[in-house]
Amino acid sequence: MSNTRSPAPRRGTHQWLALLIGAVYLVVGIAGFAVTGFDGWTEHDHSQTLLGFAINPAHNVVHLLIGLLGVVLWRTASGARTFGWLLVIGYGAAFVYGLFVVDNADANFLNINWADNWLHLASVIGGLLVALLPYRTAATGADR
């Protein structure tokens, strides 16, 4: 009998990067609740930080959702690229939002501080890498 199992799909660098970013955000979302608990969902309190990044329960939920998307979408090349574009759009918007609300307690419902703003910008760059890194096909060696 011959073995007709097809080989496991080859994962591209952009897929592994999507998984890494997703896993980090998932862990940060879970760890965030150890800092904030489950009270004060939109509280603006810069003393509640995780590694210098201000958080609150609503911010933790955003991290959990981003993390789950990365862990789910990394499996296919197109899913990873979709995740990359979601990072670019979502964290691009979060960066711009953060620039306006970082010192405005009334509007800052995600408890964003300057460290968060820089991390959001880094996430945009990570999203661009995931979305735009070339993927080499195993059969032809061509970029996709």
Side-chain angles (χ1 to χ4, degrees), residues 87-141:
L87 286 175
V88 170
I89 294 165
Y91 278 111
F95 175 72
V96 172
Y97 167 76
L99 292 176
F100 289 100
V101 303
V102 72
D103 294 321
N104 183 348
D106 294 331
N108 194 350
F109 63 90
L110 289 176
N111 198 28
I112 293 173
N113 66 6
W114 281 106
D116 290 307
N117 280 335
W118 294 116
L119 180 63
H120 295 160
L121 187 58
S123 295
V124 169
I125 293 166
L128 283 171
L129 286 172
V130 171
L132 299 176
L133 272 175
Y135 175 72
R136 294 205 170 271
T137 58
T140 65

Side-chain angles (χ1 to χ4, degrees), residues 3 12 15 20 22 25 34 46-47 49 53-54 60 62 88 90 92-93 97 110 112 115 121-122 135 139-140:
N3 187 353
Q15 289 174 267
L20 175 67
Y25 270 108
H46 285 316
S47 70
T49 63
F53 301 100
N60 296 335
V62 172
V88 170
Y97 167 76
L110 289 176
I112 293 173
L121 187 58
Y135 175 72
T140 65

Side-chain angles (χ1 to χ4, degrees), residues 29-41 43 45 47-50 53-61 111:
I30 293 167
F33 282 109
V35 173
T36 65
F38 294 91
D39 295 332
W41 279 83
E43 186 173 70
D45 178 4
S47 70
Q48 290 186 332
T49 63
L50 180 64
F53 301 100
I55 54 175
N56 62 20
H59 202 149
N60 296 335
V61 168
N111 198 28

Side-chain angles (χ1 to χ4, degrees), residues 11 15-27 30 63-76 79-80 83-84 86-87:
R11 310 279 191 205
Q15 289 174 267
W16 292 110
L17 185 56
L19 176 61
L20 175 67
I21 292 170
V24 166
Y25 270 108
L26 193 58
V27 168
I30 293 167
H63 290 156
L64 286 173
L65 292 174
I66 291 295
L68 285 172
L69 280 171
V71 168
V72 169
L73 292 175
W74 82 279
R75 288 182 169 88
T76 65
F83 177 66
L86 289 171
L87 286 175

